[in-house]
């Protein structure tokens, strides 16, 4: 059965992978909803039951309002179009992302309301409820499990090893036809550790796994160059990569995530998504962030955060009862042990987390309950001053 709307084709490797075999039959047979802006977007628009008099916002009175910053970042033309439904595809934004990440064109990019919508769409399009399963590698991002439960999809867990790397032998033994998705977080959350591309390549070529590899790269811009799995997307049809504007681009509030994969996969997701899932304000701000001027700010801020991370690591190592800095330190956070008598202590780590938030005015994250993270807290890299405050508060509590 052909994928409706497919304009171009992706890689033919590996030979054992067939996207039509793993997509739910009802999704493959779906005739996408055709919305008003799929056909025409100019002229006297009397086709979509919109309000012809424009948005009910007194622009001149919004200087001190919560909407002011959003309105200030939008062009007058975009503000004037808020009464109209947005583009269902946002091709200009997808083209900019494809260019930034080295992909051929917009056919390789799917936009979502944060990476969470992207993850949910993969479950909904590929996994049959109460039948199929996904594989996760704890410790990892918690939304994989939450989304699996919401969609009534089983979970196969193959924990990372002591170095927070994939247990490839354990994964190989657990692969089965009903495992449709494999989530690999790289750099990991909360591990801050990159998964080598060669390891992902070996899994992509493993004929025992016939599903789709999803490499979650929310933090990839804080890692060394040349470590993104986007290069594998162009080579393997069974590898896709999710990224977000929430982290290195500093746009968590606009909720814009995206998936990069073979055009066949992108078209399946596009056919099944809500007609206007990404709003005009979100797309407008996102496009500004990946413009030439926006990328200069992005590069500057990312470089500064990486420098702050390195300094935070050095400073933490001077704090009494702080143990190992865990993981590869390839993200914008640090995973660190809290000790009692020289051993990781999860109870003390939890007490420190609570005390910091409730009495010290500094909020970090307790991760001692995660697999392989005994006694650990996770500290996001902030400004230079914020990092110094965190270190001094920890020093006072742990001395």
């Amino acid at each position: 059965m052909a994928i409706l709307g497919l304009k171009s084709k992706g890689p033919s490797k590996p030979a054992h992978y067939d996207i039509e075999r793993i997509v739910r039959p009802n999704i493959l047979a779906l005739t996408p909803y055709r919305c008003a802006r799929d056909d025409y977007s100019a002229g006297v628009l009397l086709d979509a039951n919109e309000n012809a008099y424009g948005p009910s916002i007194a622009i001149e009175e919004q200087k001190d309002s919560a909407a002011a910053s959003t309105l200030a970042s939008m062009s007058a033309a975009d503000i004037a179009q808020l009464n109209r439904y947005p583009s269902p595809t946002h091709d200009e934004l997808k083209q900019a992302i494809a260019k930034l990440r080295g992909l051929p064109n917009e056919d390789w990019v799917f936009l979502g309301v944060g990476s969470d919508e992207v993850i949910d769409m993969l479950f909904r399009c590929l996994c049959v409820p109460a039948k199929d399963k996904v594989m996760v590698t704890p410790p990892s991002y918690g939304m994989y499990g939450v989304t699996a439960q919401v969609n009534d999809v089983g979970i196969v867990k193959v924990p990372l090893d002591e170095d927070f790397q994939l247990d490839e032998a354990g994964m190989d033994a657990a692969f089965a036809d009903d495992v449709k998705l494999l989530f690999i977080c790289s750099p990991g959350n909360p591990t801050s550790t990159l998964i080598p591309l060669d390891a992902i390549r070996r899994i992509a070529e493993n004929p025992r796994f016939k599903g789709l590899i999803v490499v979650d790269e929310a933090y990839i811009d804080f890692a060394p160059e040349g470590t993104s799995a986007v290069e594998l997307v162009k080579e393997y049809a069974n590898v896709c990569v999710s990224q977000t504007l929430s982290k290195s681009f500093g746009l968590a509030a606009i909720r814009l995530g995206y998936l990069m994969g073979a055009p066949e996969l992108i078209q399946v997701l596009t056919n099944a998504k809500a007609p206007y899932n990404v709003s005009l304000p979100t797309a407008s701000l996102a496009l500004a962030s990946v413009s030439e001027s926006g990328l200069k700010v992005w590069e500057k801020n990312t470089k500064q955060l990486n420098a702050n991370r390195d300094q935070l690591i050095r400073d933490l190592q001077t704090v009494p009862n702080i143990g190992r800095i865990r993981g590869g330190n390839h993200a914008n956070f640090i995973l660190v042990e809290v000790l009692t008598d020289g051993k990781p202590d999860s109870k003390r780590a939890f007490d420190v987390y609570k005390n910091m938030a409730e009495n010290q005015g500094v909020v970090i994250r307790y991760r001692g309950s995660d697999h392989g993270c005994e006694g650990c807290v996770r500290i996001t890299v902030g400004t230079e001053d914020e990092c110094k405050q965190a270190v001094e508060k920890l020093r006072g509590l742990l001395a």
Side-chain angles (χ1 to χ4, degrees):
M1 182 181 294
I3 297 173
L4 294 176
L6 185 64
K7 299 178 215 172
S8 56
K9 292 189 175 181
S12 58
K13 292 174 58 177
H16 65 264
Y17 175 77
D18 179 5
I19 187 172
E20 293 186 19
R21 191 195 69 82
I22 69 167
V23 175
R24 293 172 61 184
N26 59 306
I27 298 295
L28 201 57
L30 176 69
T31 299
Y33 174 77
R34 190 146 192 91
C35 61
R37 295 300 158 254
D38 276 319
D39 296 319
Y40 305 104
S41 58
V44 179
L45 299 175
L46 303 178
D47 59 341
N49 306 330
E50 300 153 330
N51 186 328
Y53 286 100
S56 57
I57 301 175
I59 305 296
E60 65 281 357
E61 297 179 13
Q62 297 298 315
K63 292 181 181 179
D64 299 318
S65 73
S69 59
T70 300
L71 293 169
S73 63
M74 296 177 63
S75 68
D78 279 348
I79 293 173
Q81 288 295 311
L82 288 176
N83 62 317
R84 301 297 181 186
Y85 286 108
S87 164
T89 58
H90 296 293
D91 284 341
E92 186 179 3
L93 174 57
K94 292 197 288 187
Q95 288 163 5
I97 291 171
K99 180 180 178 181
L100 173 66
R101 300 308 188 187
L103 292 171
N105 55 48
E106 69 274 15
D107 294 343
W108 297 69
V109 180
F110 174 81
L111 304 177
V113 182
S115 295
D116 293 332
E117 185 188 29
V118 171
I119 292 168
D120 185 59
M121 287 297 299
L122 288 167
F123 273 90
R124 291 164 57 196
C125 290
L126 303 186
C127 299
V128 178
K131 177 185 176 184
D132 289 332
K133 299 176 183 177
V134 299
M135 183 178 289
V136 297
T137 58
S140 196
Y141 182 42
M143 277 304 294
Y144 309 144
V146 171
T147 309
Q149 188 167 353
V150 168
N151 287 280
D152 195 15
V153 172
I155 304 173
V156 178
K157 296 181 180 180
V158 182
L160 299 174
D161 65 20
E162 292 183 358
D163 296 320
F164 295 142
Q165 292 297 322
L166 299 176
D167 176 4
E168 294 182 53
M171 295 169 71
D172 185 76
F175 286 146
D177 286 347
D178 60 356
V179 177
K180 290 288 189 70
L181 295 169
L182 164 59
F183 287 97
I184 298 175
C185 202
S186 178
N189 178 13
T191 70
S192 189
T193 301
L194 278 165
I195 302 300
L197 298 186
D198 283 348
I200 300 172
R201 187 187 301 275
R202 285 192 293 271
I203 297 169
E205 294 178 348
N206 186 343
R208 284 182 54 81
F209 179 58
K210 296 180 174 61
L212 178 70
I213 302 168
V214 185
V215 186
D216 186 342
E217 292 188 344
Y219 303 96
I220 194 64
D221 294 322
F222 301 104
E225 289 187 19
T227 54
S228 172
V230 174
E231 288 303 309
L232 301 183
V233 168
K234 293 183 284 188
E235 186 177 356
Y236 296 97
N238 61 343
V239 177
C240 64
V241 171
S242 69
Q243 294 182 356
T244 178
L245 298 189
S246 294
K247 310 301 181 182
S248 64
F249 283 90
L251 288 171
I254 74 169
R255 310 306 301 129
L256 196 287
Y258 54 94
L259 187 79
M260 297 170 287
E264 293 86 348
L265 172 65
I266 300 304
Q267 190 62 52
V268 166
L269 299 177
T270 300
N271 290 349
K273 76 174 183 68
Y276 309 105
N277 63 324
V278 175
S279 72
L280 177 60
T282 290
S284 178
L285 291 166
L287 192 57
S289 76
V290 294
S291 68
E292 184 176 350
S293 59
L295 290 176
K296 290 179 181 178
V297 177
W298 167 65
E299 289 173 354
K300 175 186 175 184
N301 290 347
T302 302
K303 183 178 180 180
Q304 183 62 59
L305 285 167
N306 278 349
N308 294 356
R309 177 187 65 197
D310 296 342
Q311 185 62 50
L312 177 59
I313 290 172
R314 290 192 290 269
D315 291 344
L316 284 170
Q317 291 171 332
T318 70
V319 177
N321 293 308
I322 284 289
R324 294 176 297 171
I325 308 293
R326 302 294 308 280
N329 301 313
H330 298 133
N332 68 331
F333 56 84
I334 305 298
L335 185 69
V336 61
E337 294 174 331
V338 175
L339 307 179
T340 297
D341 297 329
K343 296 180 180 180
D345 185 339
S346 290
K347 182 183 182 304
R348 190 176 194 186
F350 182 80
D351 290 343
V352 166
Y353 147 71
K354 290 285 285 184
N355 198 323
M356 289 275 284
E358 296 177 3
N359 302 316
Q360 309 297 323
V362 177
V363 183
I364 59 177
R365 193 78 178 264
Y366 171 70
R367 299 310 298 250
S369 299
D370 290 16
H371 177 85
C373 300
E374 182 181 1
C376 285
V377 293
R378 191 190 71 194
I379 306 172
T380 300
V381 178
T383 64
E384 292 173 272
D385 180 63
E386 289 171 337
C387 291
K388 288 177 181 177
Q389 286 189 57
V391 170
E392 290 313 306
K393 298 296 185 183
L394 284 167
R395 193 185 305 278
L397 288 173
L398 293 171

